[in-house]
Amino acid sequence: MFARYGPPAYLRSDNGPEFIAHAVKRWLQDAGVRTAYIEPGKPWQNGTNESFNGKFRDECLNMEWFHNRREAQVMIEHWRREYNEERPHSSLEYRTPAEVDQAARASATISF
């Protein structure tokens, strides 16, 4: 995503054990990305991500029993495509994320 959209000003994350990887921190620093940690016990500081995580768990992970890594990849990709390309979201005026992205790209294009 960095190559496609450019690096963000900061990356928000909790400060749990999964984010202690020193290599990731160095990579972000080298890319000029600051980190913004969520305070422990305050998931609302990243409400959009928490909302997505809940939907992903309820609608995909809790509904499937993966027998191997490849099956998990296929099923999760299927869910991701449906979520982003087929299902309208009320928060996006009942458009899909793909439609919103396409409209944003079209409005950013300058015609001469």
Side-chain angles (χ1 to χ4, degrees), residues 63-77:
M63 302 299 287
E64 302 293 340
W65 183 269
F66 306 118
H67 296 281
N68 56 55
R69 185 177 295 166
R70 180 67 186 138
E71 184 180 10
Q73 289 172 327
V74 169
M75 297 301 293
I76 291 168
E77 176 62 12

Side-chain angles (χ1 to χ4, degrees), residues 46-93:
N46 195 13
T48 302
N49 192 51
E50 293 299 321
S51 175
F52 170 80
N53 288 346
K55 286 179 178 63
F56 180 55
R57 175 150 304 282
D58 291 345
E59 299 172 9
C60 183
L61 299 179
N62 288 348
M63 302 299 287
E64 302 293 340
W65 183 269
F66 306 118
H67 296 281
N68 56 55
R69 185 177 295 166
R70 180 67 186 138
E71 184 180 10
Q73 289 172 327
V74 169
M75 297 301 293
I76 291 168
E77 176 62 12
H78 179 322
W79 184 87
R80 186 194 68 79
R81 286 180 183 260
E82 189 270 333
Y83 183 86
N84 287 318
E85 299 171 8
E86 299 172 21
R87 184 169 80 187
H89 296 242
S90 60
S91 64
L92 301 176
E93 300 174 351

Side-chain angles (χ1 to χ4, degrees), residues 27-46:
W27 178 74
L28 289 171
Q29 185 177 12
D30 291 347
V33 178
R34 296 185 313 264
T35 53
Y37 293 113
I38 299 168
E39 294 177 57
K42 297 187 178 179
W44 56 83
Q45 290 179 342
N46 195 13

